[in-house]
Amino acid sequence: MATRTPFEVISHTRKVCSLYKRMTRNLQAYYHDRAQFRYQAVLLRATFDKHKDEKDMIKATKLVQKGEDHLYSLLHYAPIKFPNSPGGVAYDRNVIIPDEAVDFWDPVEKAFYPKYFALREQRKKEFVELWQKKYGKVDPKEYEHHH
Amino acid sequence: MGFNFSLFIHWKMVFCSFYISFPFYLDYMSCIFMGMVLLISGSIIFYSEFYMQSEIYKLRFFFLMFLFVMSMIFLIICPNFFCMLLGWDGLGLVSYLLVIYYQNFKSFYSGLITALTNRVGDVFILCSISLFFCYGSFNYMNFFFNYNMYFCYMFFIASLTKSAQIPFSAWLPAAMAAPTPVSSLVHSSTLVTAGVYIMIRFNYYLIQEIKYLLMFISLLTMIMSGFSGMFEFDLKKIIALSTLSQLGFMMSTISIGFYELAFFHLITHAGFKALLFMCAGFFIHNYHDNQDIRFFGLMNKNFCFSLCMFNIANLSLSGFPFLSGFFSKDLILEFMLKLNFGFIYLILFIVGTFLTVLYSFRLMIYLTFKKSFFNSVEFFPNLLGIQNSMYLLFFFSVFLGFIGSSIFFFPYNYIVLPFKMKILISLICLLSFCCSLKISYMNLELNNYFIMYLSQMWFLYFLKTDLLKYFFLNNSYKFSKVLVTYIENYFGMTLYYYFYFFSDKFLNFFNYLFYLFSFFFVYYIFFYTFLF
C-alpha cells in the first residue's frame, strides 16, 4: 500500500475548485441530457457562490468537508472517464519501445545478431560525426561538473 | 431431422514404427457451425483491415486472428479428445493473447482473468482425458451407454468456464479490453459458444442432476447479465452482457433437452451478434475510442447506414417478429411454456426475456434519440470497406432464422398453446419496451448500493478482478519485499489512515473490504510482536 504522506500543502482555494469540478463531473454522469445537466450545474454553482465571500476559515473548512460528504453520498457507480485519460479505456494503449533499449542487450544476446550490431555501431558513429559536423565538437570537460 | 448423414474421416500419418491419427467428424451440425464461423471470421478480417489501419502491431493481430479461427475449427470437427484439446487450449491461449493486444494495465488484468478462468476448464478437460484411459478409445461417440459420472461433471464444469456461466462469468465483460474486431469474433460467436457447442455434442452424457444444476445456473446467469446490462454504460460491455444472457438462454435450452433448438439459436445469434459488435466498433472508432454510451447520441444524423444495421441486429436480438432471432427464440420460449417444468423456472425465464428486450431497447434509445455530448468534425460516415464487410452478416441476421426454421427445423414449427400463453411473450416484450423508455430517460441521482450490486454482476466482477488485483497481486508484491519495507507499509503514517478511513468515511465499499482485510493483518502483526 502506498504511503499517503502529504508532500505539499493544498490551499483552500484548490480544495474548493477540486470539489466543484468533481461534483460537476458527477452530475454529468447522472444527467445525460445536456439541458438537464446545465440546469443542475447552474444550481450547483449557485450553492458554491452563496458562500463565496466566507471570511471565517473554520466555517469555510467545515463547508468543504460537508461538500465532500455530500459528494460521497451521491457518487455515481460508473463515473465518466475520458478514454485517453488515466482510468479510461484507451489510456496508454500502445507502448512504443525506444530504440536505445537495444543498446542494453547482453553481449551474449548481441552475439546472436553480429551483422546487425556491427551495422548499428557504425551508424551510431556516423550519427555522432554528422552531429559534430553540424553543431561543432563538445568538450566533455564542460559537462563534468554537472554530474 | 432430415440430416442423418454424417462423415467420419480418420487420417493416419504412418511413420516407421508408429502412427499419428487425426479424426474428423463432419455432420450437419459441425458443417453449419464451421460455415458460420468461417463466414463471420472472413467478414471480420475484411473489416479489421480498415479498423486496424493505424495500428503499429497490425501483423501480430492478423496472425492471432488466423490462429484463433484455426483452433476453433479444430474444436468443431474433431471428435477425438486429444485433438479437441488442441482446439480448446488454443482458444484459451489465443484469446488471452488477443485480449492483451493493447498494452495497458486494464488489458493486462482482463487477460489475466480470461486466461486463469479458461485454465480451470482446461484442467477439467485434461482430467476427463485421463478418465478416458479406462475406455480404450478417445473418440467420444464410442460411449453412448457406458460412461463415468465424474466425466460428466468434468466436461460440465469445463463448458461452464468457456461459456462464462455464473461462477466464472467475470471474464466475459472483462475481455472487452480487446480490440473490437476481436470482441466481434471471439467474444460473441466463437469462443463463448464453444462451451455450448461441446454441451450440444455431449448431450447424450448429461445425467438428470446435471441438467437441473445447469438449468438453475444458466437461468441465474441470464438474469444476472440482464440486470447488469440494464445499468451498464459501456457500449461493448452491454453487448457482451447480452451475449452472456443469450448463452444462459442456450444452456437452459440444452438442460431441458432441446439441444437442436439451442444449436439453431447459437447459429442465428452468432450472425447478429457479430454484426452488432462490428457496428459498435465503427461507432467507437468514430467517437475517438469512446465507449461510454452517455457520450453517444443522434447517430441517425451521422451514421445512418451503420445505425440502421445496428438497430436491426438489436431488434433481431430482442426477438422482433420475422427477423432471424425471432424464429429461434420464440420457438424455444413456446417450448418452455408447453413443457410445464415448474413455476419458478418459468418466472425466471420470463424475467430473463423481459430483461433482454429491455437492455436492447435501452441501447437503441441511447444511440438513436439521445443528444450527443460532443460533436466531432472528424467523422468518417461512409467508410466503404467497413460497410461492405457488414452486408453479408446483415443478410444473415435478417433471413437466417427464416431459412433455418423452414429447412432445418421444420418438424418443430407446430406448437399448440392456449391463447393467453401464446400471447404472453408478446405482452412481456411490449411491457419491456415501455419500461426501457422509462429507464433510459430516468435520472436517478442517488448512490444506491442495490443498483451498484446489479450493475457489477452481483459483485462477481469484484470477486474476480478487484480482489485479485488489489489483494492477491499487490500483497504478493508487498510480501516479497516485506523484510525491507513492512514498517513503512503497515505502521507509521499508514496506520493513521487505516483508523481514519475506518472512523467515518471510506471511499467506497470495495475499499472498505480491502481495508478490513489489511486491518486484520496489522492487528495480527501488532499482537504477535508485542505478546510473544
Side-chain angles (χ1 to χ4, degrees):
Chain A
M1 154 149 215
T3 45
R4 289 155 193 258
T5 319
F7 287 111
E8 56 179 331
V9 181
I10 300 166
S11 67
H12 178 73
T13 323
R14 220 176 108 192
K15 275 179 193 167
V16 174
C17 288
S18 160
L19 178 66
Y20 176 65
K21 188 172 180 180
R22 276 179 287 137
M23 280 184 124
T24 324
R25 285 279 177 227
N26 196 38
L27 278 181
Q28 205 176 19
Y30 279 110
Y31 294 96
H32 316 146
D33 187 29
R34 194 76 195 171
Q36 281 180 354
F37 164 66
R38 281 303 306 155
Y39 179 70
Q40 296 293 332
V42 166
L43 288 185
L44 179 70
R45 181 70 195 216
T47 51
F48 270 81
D49 277 346
K50 207 159 66 182
H51 306 288
K52 191 175 61 178
D53 303 319
E54 188 65 61
K55 292 285 187 292
D56 187 4
M57 274 315 285
I58 296 170
K59 209 174 171 186
T61 315
K62 274 182 183 169
L63 278 171
V64 170
Q65 194 63 41
K66 204 177 153 192
E68 292 279 357
D69 289 347
H70 184 63
L71 175 63
Y72 171 66
S73 69
L74 292 178
L75 271 180
H76 197 266
Y77 60 89
I80 281 180
K81 292 266 168 70
F82 292 105
N84 293 312
S85 315
V89 278
Y91 176 64
D92 213 7
R93 260 186 183 170
N94 289 316
V95 181
I96 300 163
I97 300 163
D99 188 46
E100 62 257 32
V102 185
D103 286 333
F104 293 97
W105 279 26
D106 200 73
V108 181
E109 284 175 319
K110 279 183 181 176
F112 279 104
Y113 308 97
K115 213 171 172 181
Y116 171 75
F117 278 99
L119 191 70
R120 190 181 167 83
E121 290 303 316
Q122 200 196 331
R123 289 268 183 276
K124 272 158 78 178
K125 264 180 207 165
E126 280 170 15
F127 182 77
V128 171
E129 274 168 23
L130 193 77
W131 200 89
Q132 283 173 350
K133 201 175 157 190
K134 200 170 179 184
Y135 300 104
K137 269 196 174 180
V138 181
D139 188 16
K141 278 179 188 173
E142 275 184 33
Y143 288 90
E144 269 180 7
H145 63 274
H146 287 299
H147 295 293
Chain B
M1 298 300 304
F3 292 84
N4 291 328
F5 181 74
S6 61
L7 195 66
F8 193 94
I9 304 164
H10 210 85
W11 182 26
K12 266 188 187 175
M13 287 167 270
V14 183
F15 297 90
C16 294
S17 56
F18 70 103
Y19 68 89
I20 299 168
S21 66
F22 202 90
F24 301 107
Y25 182 62
L26 298 170
D27 60 343
Y28 82 98
M29 228 171 230
S30 59
C31 284
I32 291 174
F33 194 34
M34 197 163 65
M36 202 65 201
V37 166
L38 287 175
L39 171 81
I40 289 170
S41 55
S43 313
I44 285 164
I45 282 168
F46 190 60
Y47 168 86
S48 47
E49 216 166 284
F50 298 92
Y51 188 85
M52 309 294 280
Q53 247 171 5
S54 53
E55 291 294 328
I56 309 161
Y57 308 107
K58 203 171 147 187
L59 194 68
R60 172 160 61 105
F61 176 78
F62 280 106
F63 271 113
L64 286 176
M65 288 287 258
F66 284 124
L67 265 177
F68 186 82
V69 175
M70 197 180 77
S71 44
M72 189 67 206
I73 282 168
F74 273 137
L75 184 74
I76 291 168
I77 60 175
C78 290
N80 189 320
F81 248 94
F82 272 111
C83 303
M84 206 193 74
L85 187 73
L86 192 69
W88 186 274
D89 252 348
L91 284 182
L93 182 67
V94 179
S95 71
Y96 170 65
L97 292 177
L98 282 168
V99 170
I100 60 163
Y101 174 77
Y102 291 132
Q103 291 146 26
N104 47 6
F105 280 101
K106 222 168 203 177
S107 310
F108 169 66
Y109 284 123
S110 312
L112 205 63
I113 295 298
T114 311
L116 288 178
T117 318
N118 282 323
R119 215 95 284 269
V120 175
D122 294 345
V123 166
F124 279 101
I125 289 279
L126 279 170
C127 289
S128 59
I129 283 180
S130 66
L131 267 182
F132 260 72
F133 270 109
C134 309
Y135 295 101
S137 167
F138 290 104
N139 289 3
Y140 56 69
M141 50 264 292
N142 294 358
F143 314 107
F144 282 108
F145 307 108
N146 186 12
Y147 60 89
N148 200 328
M149 202 183 70
Y150 296 112
F151 162 70
C152 197
Y153 277 107
M154 274 165 192
F155 86 81
F156 167 67
I157 293 170
S159 60
L160 283 195
T161 55
K162 235 5 166 211
S163 288
Q165 299 299 304
I166 233 173
F168 310 108
S169 44
W171 71 267
L172 184 59
M176 289 300 117
T180 319
V182 175
S183 315
S184 180
L185 176 66
V186 176
H187 303 295
S188 71
S189 51
T190 48
L191 172 70
V192 289
T193 51
V196 180
Y197 181 75
I198 290 300
M199 219 53 164
I200 291 166
R201 275 273 182 238
F202 286 68
N203 64 82
Y204 316 104
Y205 300 110
L206 286 176
I207 52 176
Q208 201 57 42
E209 292 92 60
I210 283 189
K211 278 185 179 174
Y212 284 135
L213 195 61
L214 180 64
M215 165 145 256
F216 190 63
I217 285 175
S218 56
L219 283 176
L220 279 184
T221 309
M222 200 173 154
I223 286 169
M224 181 266 289
S225 52
F227 273 121
S228 2
M230 203 165 90
F231 294 111
E232 184 62 57
F233 286 107
D234 194 310
L235 175 61
K236 274 170 80 179
K237 270 190 187 169
I238 293 172
I239 304 174
L241 287 166
S242 81
T243 306
L244 194 53
S245 124
Q246 296 305 304
L247 286 171
F249 191 68
M250 288 171 214
M251 280 295 197
S252 51
T253 317
I254 292 167
S255 72
I256 52 168
F258 296 115
Y259 64 94
E260 282 159 340
L261 286 182
F263 179 71
F264 183 34
H265 190 60
L266 195 154
I267 294 296
T268 52
H269 169 258
F272 56 72
K273 194 48 71 71
L275 181 65
L276 213 57
F277 264 116
M278 279 157 91
C279 297
F282 187 57
F283 300 148
I284 289 165
H285 195 63
N286 274 319
Y287 272 86
H288 305 286
D289 301 327
N290 241 317
Q291 294 185 13
D292 206 318
I293 54 170
R294 285 170 289 197
F295 286 106
F296 291 173
L298 282 183
M299 295 241 181
N300 49 357
K301 219 173 177 183
N302 296 320
F303 327 100
C304 329
F305 182 78
S306 312
L307 186 76
C308 178
M309 290 215 173
F310 185 86
N311 282 349
I312 286 171
N314 228 339
L315 282 174
S316 183
L317 169 70
S318 56
F320 193 77
F322 312 119
L323 293 177
S324 80
F326 167 75
F327 286 96
S328 54
K329 215 170 165 183
D330 196 56
L331 210 59
I332 294 168
L333 283 170
E334 285 187 345
F335 263 102
M336 290 280 175
L337 290 176
K338 200 181 158 191
L339 267 180
N340 292 326
F341 52 77
F343 187 66
I344 298 216
Y345 283 133
L346 193 67
I347 292 285
L348 287 177
F349 232 102
I350 284 169
V351 170
T353 319
F354 175 80
L355 288 171
T356 308
V357 179
L358 203 147
Y359 62 69
S360 357
F361 271 97
R362 173 174 171 267
L363 192 56
M364 275 167 68
I365 287 164
Y366 261 91
L367 293 193
T368 318
F369 301 117
K370 289 247 173 178
K371 282 167 200 154
S372 176
F373 249 53
F374 70 89
N375 266 316
S376 171
V377 285
E378 290 180 68
F379 286 137
F380 322 110
N382 292 309
L383 214 59
L384 210 64
I386 282 186
Q387 287 186 1
N388 283 343
S389 60
M390 289 175 190
Y391 281 125
L392 208 59
L393 282 180
F394 174 67
F395 175 79
F396 277 102
S397 73
V398 176
F399 293 111
L400 189 67
F402 174 67
I403 297 166
S405 70
S406 54
I407 298 172
F408 307 132
F409 300 95
F410 186 64
Y412 287 120
N413 276 349
Y414 303 105
I415 300 162
V416 181
L417 282 175
F419 178 70
K420 280 177 189 168
M421 285 264 220
K422 192 85 179 169
I423 211 161
L424 178 69
I425 301 296
S426 325
L427 283 179
I428 289 289
C429 290
L430 261 178
L431 181 70
S432 172
F433 172 64
C434 301
C435 286
S436 72
L437 277 177
K438 179 71 189 159
I439 273 199
S440 18
Y441 288 104
M442 185 170 63
N443 295 312
L444 266 178
E445 202 187 330
L446 75 166
N447 180 10
N448 198 337
Y449 274 132
F450 186 62
I451 290 180
M452 199 168 171
Y453 166 73
L454 291 178
S455 75
Q456 309 249 350
M457 304 174 69
W458 299 353
F459 292 146
L460 268 180
Y461 199 71
F462 156 70
L463 285 176
K464 279 283 170 60
T465 56
D466 291 3
L467 199 68
L468 186 84
K469 192 161 103 183
Y470 292 118
F471 193 68
F472 291 114
L473 287 183
N474 282 6
N475 276 357
S476 70
Y477 173 72
K478 267 169 230 156
F479 291 144
S480 69
K481 299 196 165 189
V482 75
L483 284 175
V484 189
T485 59
Y486 78 101
I487 298 171
E488 273 134 302
N489 273 327
Y490 292 103
F491 293 98
M493 201 61 187
T494 325
L495 201 60
Y496 162 72
Y497 273 102
Y498 283 133
F499 289 122
Y500 175 71
F501 275 99
F502 246 80
S503 58
D504 57 349
K505 60 187 203 97
F506 28 82
L507 283 173
N508 56 33
F509 184 65
F510 302 141
N511 271 3
Y512 164 69
L513 277 181
F514 171 60
Y515 286 120
L516 192 73
F517 284 126
S518 314
F519 186 77
F520 283 133
F521 183 73
V522 171
Y523 206 66
Y524 173 72
I525 286 182
F526 199 77
F527 276 87
Y528 191 80
T529 45
F530 278 85
L531 291 178
F532 304 105

